[in-house]
Amino acid sequence: MEVLDQTVWIHINYRTWQGKKTLTRDELKRYADPSKTPPEDLITPGTKAIADPEKLKRINSLGKRIHRECEKVCLKAFGAYGTSIEAGETLLARLQELKDEHHMLISEYLDSYEQSNIEWINDHPQWEDWLRNSMMSRGEIENRFKFEYQAYKISSGGQGALMNDGLIQEQNGLLGQLLLEIEKMANDAWVASYENRDKTGQKALSPIRTILNKLKTLSYISNKVNVLIKRVNDVLNSMPKSGPIEGADLSSVCGLLNLLGSSKRMTDFINQVPQHQNDVFDQIEENDEENLILSEPADTARNEEFEFDTTEESEVNVNTPSIPKPVAQPALFCF
């Protein structure tokens, strides 16, 4: 279970408010007539905008930033973000900064909430009574916002072979999950900076460096990740340090994104290197077998040792297995 022992899991609980309220049945009937329907900025299918959405943009965009920060160095499993303990400590510090920012933004919004409502009504004088009757109090709004996070580790639990087998199965599926997430990052980079272009700028290499950092951070999951790390490093090291990326350099990057843009192609690529030849990569180390000691019931008056072989096979299954119920333990740096 060495991979799980080296992983910290971070659960994000982020809740926000869009400035909307559900339409009542009477309102749905009343506004079925297009001539009586409020303007588009006040009503959408099933909801009404009782607050200015522009004033909520910074708060709502913060939620996306929080998840992006996690996705840079984590993979998703067990309903949380998992990463190395070292990277987890750095990420938790960053999340605390974002939590402080969240608190500041919420305080600023609530302090200006009443004035913002007046301005919203003034922008729609024809619907003043309707808006006033729909608006919520500051206390009601405050409870709509939340940002909490918890860090924990998962252990084998010692409840018998069934639990341990399930965790080993999930552990072996982490590589497949990582490849799926790299696939998405590569395809996003392709669409944003490379598709239908005959040259691009230095900034276009930034998402590839982010991919490289994620692979390095999570390389402890499997020695095979180092095969991809070497490939990405080789391409980035061959790029010019300034000026546009074009010609043969652009073709090299596009070829890399073609590889990274498919979990199947990545699986085939890393499986081309036989397991016994992995020592050609500097960062690859041989896996050691780990013995798990499971406690017998007290009446047996003895402990028996069970061995679980977590050494990877030469072929990698990219499908993420079903998730067993984990046994969670708080990490030392929980918040």
Side-chain angles (χ1 to χ4, degrees), residues 221-239:
I221 288 175
S222 169
N223 286 342
K224 291 179 177 291
V225 176
N226 291 283
V227 180
L228 291 174
I229 291 174
K230 184 178 186 302
R231 175 60 178 157
V232 177
N233 259 327
D234 288 345
V235 172
L236 287 177
N237 290 337
S238 69
M239 292 296 107

Side-chain angles (χ1 to χ4, degrees), residues 8 10 12 66 69-70 72-74 83-99 149 151 213 217 331 333-335:
V8 61
I10 300 173
I12 302 294
I66 291 168
E69 288 292 329
C70 294
K72 288 179 182 178
V73 294
C74 300
T83 190
S84 67
I85 294 176
E86 181 180 1
E89 292 175 341
T90 303
L91 178 58
L92 286 171
R94 176 59 179 151
L95 289 176
Q96 184 58 48
E97 293 176 357
L98 293 172
K99 186 174 182 178
Y149 58 91
N213 182 61
T217 301
F333 37 82
C334 287
F335 288 83

Side-chain angles (χ1 to χ4, degrees), residues 24-119:
T24 65
R25 287 190 176 184
D26 289 341
E27 288 172 330
L28 288 171
K29 293 178 181 178
R30 186 187 317 154
Y31 301 134
D33 183 352
S35 64
K36 298 180 180 180
T37 302
E40 291 183 358
D41 62 338
L42 283 183
I43 193 169
T44 57
T47 63
K48 51 187 173 183
I50 61 173
D52 187 350
E54 289 296 321
K55 303 292 177 61
L56 290 162
K57 271 189 174 181
R58 291 175 64 194
I59 298 174
N60 293 332
S61 65
L62 181 62
K64 296 178 181 179
R65 287 170 53 200
I66 291 168
H67 287 285
R68 281 199 299 268
E69 288 292 329
C70 294
E71 290 167 356
K72 288 179 182 178
V73 294
C74 300
L75 56 79
K76 293 181 182 178
F78 295 113
Y81 290 101
T83 190
S84 67
I85 294 176
E86 181 180 1
E89 292 175 341
T90 303
L91 178 58
L92 286 171
R94 176 59 179 151
L95 289 176
Q96 184 58 48
E97 293 176 357
L98 293 172
K99 186 174 182 178
D100 293 341
E101 181 180 347
H102 179 263
H103 178 75
M104 179 193 69
L105 290 175
I106 299 303
S107 297
E108 289 178 355
Y109 179 74
L110 292 175
D111 289 343
S112 62
Y113 178 63
E114 292 184 2
Q115 179 61 34
S116 176
N117 286 346
I118 294 174
E119 294 173 359

Side-chain angles (χ1 to χ4, degrees), residues 5 85 87 100 125 145 147-148 167 186 215 223 230 277 283 288:
D5 291 339
I85 294 176
D100 293 341
F145 299 103
F147 173 32
E148 300 289 345
L167 286 177
L215 289 170
N223 286 342
K230 184 178 186 302
Q277 292 183 9
Q283 300 181 42
D288 295 327

Side-chain angles (χ1 to χ4, degrees), residues 223 275-279 283-289 311:
N223 286 342
Q275 189 72 14
H276 68 276
Q277 292 183 9
N278 277 347
D279 56 359
Q283 300 181 42
I284 294 180
E285 299 177 355
E286 292 296 326
N287 280 340
D288 295 327
E289 293 185 352
T311 304

Side-chain angles (χ1 to χ4, degrees), residues 20-303:
K20 297 180 180 181
K21 196 173 183 180
T22 304
L23 289 169
T24 65
R25 287 190 176 184
D26 289 341
E27 288 172 330
L28 288 171
K29 293 178 181 178
R30 186 187 317 154
Y31 301 134
D33 183 352
S35 64
K36 298 180 180 180
T37 302
E40 291 183 358
D41 62 338
L42 283 183
I43 193 169
T44 57
T47 63
K48 51 187 173 183
I50 61 173
D52 187 350
E54 289 296 321
K55 303 292 177 61
L56 290 162
K57 271 189 174 181
R58 291 175 64 194
I59 298 174
N60 293 332
S61 65
L62 181 62
K64 296 178 181 179
R65 287 170 53 200
I66 291 168
H67 287 285
R68 281 199 299 268
E69 288 292 329
C70 294
E71 290 167 356
K72 288 179 182 178
V73 294
C74 300
L75 56 79
K76 293 181 182 178
F78 295 113
Y81 290 101
T83 190
S84 67
I85 294 176
E86 181 180 1
E89 292 175 341
T90 303
L91 178 58
L92 286 171
R94 176 59 179 151
L95 289 176
Q96 184 58 48
E97 293 176 357
L98 293 172
K99 186 174 182 178
D100 293 341
E101 181 180 347
H102 179 263
H103 178 75
M104 179 193 69
L105 290 175
I106 299 303
S107 297
E108 289 178 355
Y109 179 74
L110 292 175
D111 289 343
S112 62
Y113 178 63
E114 292 184 2
Q115 179 61 34
S116 176
N117 286 346
I118 294 174
E119 294 173 359
W120 189 239
I121 290 173
N122 291 339
D123 290 340
H124 306 86
Q126 182 181 351
W127 303 93
E128 177 177 353
D129 292 340
W130 180 63
L131 285 172
R132 287 191 183 279
N133 293 331
S134 301
M135 286 177 173
M136 304 165 67
S137 68
R138 171 177 171 146
E140 290 176 301
I141 298 302
E142 187 172 8
N143 292 330
R144 300 296 180 96
F145 299 103
K146 184 177 183 179
F147 173 32
E148 300 289 345
Y149 58 91
Q150 301 84 33
Y152 58 91
K153 292 184 68 177
I154 296 175
S155 72
S156 59
Q159 298 298 318
L162 180 61
M163 172 66 75
N164 287 315
D165 285 346
L167 286 177
I168 290 173
Q169 181 184 16
E170 177 65 12
Q171 172 182 269
N172 292 339
L174 294 179
L175 176 58
Q177 177 64 22
L178 174 59
L179 296 186
L180 289 173
E181 294 182 14
I182 295 298
E183 174 185 299
K184 182 181 183 303
M185 294 173 70
N187 287 327
D188 288 345
W190 169 261
V191 172
S193 303
Y194 294 92
E195 189 174 24
N196 298 324
R197 299 191 184 188
D198 56 7
K199 68 177 179 179
T200 190
Q202 289 288 326
K203 287 185 178 180
L205 297 177
S206 179
I208 300 177
R209 294 191 179 99
T210 301
I211 289 174
L212 176 61
N213 182 61
K214 180 165 181 168
L215 289 170
K216 287 182 176 180
T217 301
L218 298 168
S219 61
Y220 69 93
I221 288 175
S222 169
N223 286 342
K224 291 179 177 291
V225 176
N226 291 283
V227 180
L228 291 174
I229 291 174
K230 184 178 186 302
R231 175 60 178 157
V232 177
N233 259 327
D234 288 345
V235 172
L236 287 177
N237 290 337
S238 69
M239 292 296 107
K241 303 304 179 184
S242 61
I245 308 298
E246 56 187 343
D249 292 329
L250 181 62
S251 296
S252 181
V253 176
C254 290
L256 175 64
L257 290 176
N258 181 61
L259 168 64
L260 300 178
S262 167
S263 59
K264 183 180 185 304
R265 283 193 289 272
M266 284 188 284
T267 301
D268 293 341
F269 181 74
I270 62 180
N271 282 330
Q272 288 177 1
V273 180
Q275 189 72 14
H276 68 276
Q277 292 183 9
N278 277 347
D279 56 359
V280 300
F281 302 106
D282 294 337
Q283 300 181 42
I284 294 180
E285 299 177 355
E286 292 296 326
N287 280 340
D288 295 327
E289 293 185 352
E290 179 180 4
N291 294 331
L292 297 178
I293 308 301
L294 305 180
S295 298
E296 289 289 322
D299 58 355
T300 63
R302 67 184 182 87
N303 288 333

